[in-house]
Amino acid sequence: GRAPSVCSSAATTPSRTFTVPRIAELYLGHLREATVRNHCRVHAYVLMTNHVHLLVTHQTRPGPNGRPRTARAEESAGDYYVL
């Protein structure tokens, strides 16, 4: 199998994004959609107040631009939020 990748998204501002449960739920929904679309599997995640840690395995070869699909999935979910 493929080795999992550790992904992190750090906040660009000191905002406390994930202190509101509904915001965390929305982010996780977008992450779920992005991982399905990019053929990734999330093994674990940690939502901190202003950043995210993911343990992800991509199920297929890299995306069309050569970038790992795990990176694209994380970006897709993060596009909905300013972290």
Side-chain angles (χ1 to χ4, degrees):
R2 298 183 184 272
S5 302
V6 175
C7 306
S8 294
S9 288
T12 55
T13 64
S15 64
R16 299 176 66 81
T17 305
F18 296 116
T19 57
V20 177
R22 182 68 184 134
I23 299 296
E25 291 169 9
L26 288 170
Y27 175 84
L28 291 174
H30 290 297
L31 178 63
R32 188 176 306 111
E33 292 171 10
T35 55
V36 168
R37 187 172 51 254
N38 288 282
H39 309 284
C40 298
R41 181 174 176 206
V42 176
H43 302 281
Y45 64 88
V46 179
L47 301 181
M48 306 302 283
T49 57
N50 65 346
H51 66 283
V52 177
H53 297 284
L54 303 170
L55 183 61
V56 182
T57 302
H58 56 276
Q59 304 296 314
T60 60
R61 64 184 184 282
N65 60 359
R67 293 181 57 226
R69 289 182 184 270
T70 51
R72 185 63 204 133
E74 184 181 13
E75 279 178 11
S76 294
D79 286 347
Y80 292 94
Y81 304 93
V82 178
L83 297 177

